[in-house]
Amino acid sequence: MSRFSRGNHAYGICDMTGFRYKLKDLVPEIVNQRPTGFRVGKDVVDKDQPQLQLGKVKVDDPRPLRDPRPDRAQAESRELFAWNPVGGGDIAFGSVTVGLDVEAKAGKVTVTTS
C-alpha cells in the first residue's frame, strides 16, 4: 500500500517559470549530474550541459616529441607546390620555392545592341 495518494488531478507550480502543471508532468532539474531540488515542467527542463562536467572524462593530450629528427636531407621535403590549373612556374620566397603563377588584367567591355 502506497503512503501517498496518486494525485491524478493534482497540480503543481514549476519552480523555473511559475506556471501551473499537472503534478505528474513536473520533473526534477538536474545540474552537473545532481538534482537541484527544483521541480520543472517537462517542456522547460534544460538538459544537463556536458561543458559543466569538466574532469569527468579523462583526456590525455601528449606532449610533443623530445628531440625530433626531421628529414633534412631531401630538398623536396621543404618545397611547397601548386596543382594544375593553378600553379606552374616557380616563385622564390627566401629559401622556399613555390610553384604558383598569378596573372590579372583589367579592361573595358562595350556592349552594343541593335
Side-chain angles (χ1 to χ4, degrees):
M1 180 173 261
S2 174
R3 296 180 66 190
F4 299 101
S5 72
R6 287 182 282 175
N8 291 337
H9 303 288
Y11 292 104
I13 302 298
C14 173
D15 290 323
M16 185 180 293
T17 63
F19 295 150
R20 185 175 86 161
Y21 288 87
K22 288 188 175 184
L23 194 57
K24 66 179 182 175
D25 290 337
L26 292 176
V27 295
E29 180 184 43
I30 306 294
V31 174
N32 200 11
Q33 297 183 334
R34 293 186 179 175
T36 62
F38 280 18
R39 305 274 297 176
V40 297
K42 288 181 181 179
D43 58 337
V44 295
V45 67
D46 293 327
K47 290 186 178 181
D48 199 11
Q49 291 294 321
Q51 293 102 342
L52 299 176
Q53 300 173 13
L54 296 176
K56 301 234 180 211
V57 176
K58 188 166 182 133
V59 177
D60 184 27
D61 190 11
R63 293 182 180 186
L65 296 173
R66 181 185 304 220
D67 299 326
R69 296 291 185 249
D71 183 9
R72 297 175 187 261
Q74 296 183 8
E76 293 85 16
S77 66
R78 297 188 304 266
E79 285 185 5
L80 301 174
F81 59 94
W83 294 273
N84 280 337
V86 177
D90 292 333
I91 302 172
F93 292 104
S95 63
V96 178
T97 301
V98 178
L100 183 61
D101 290 336
V102 177
E103 184 177 323
K105 294 182 181 180
K108 188 179 203 182
V109 175
T110 305
V111 178
T112 307
T113 60
S114 55

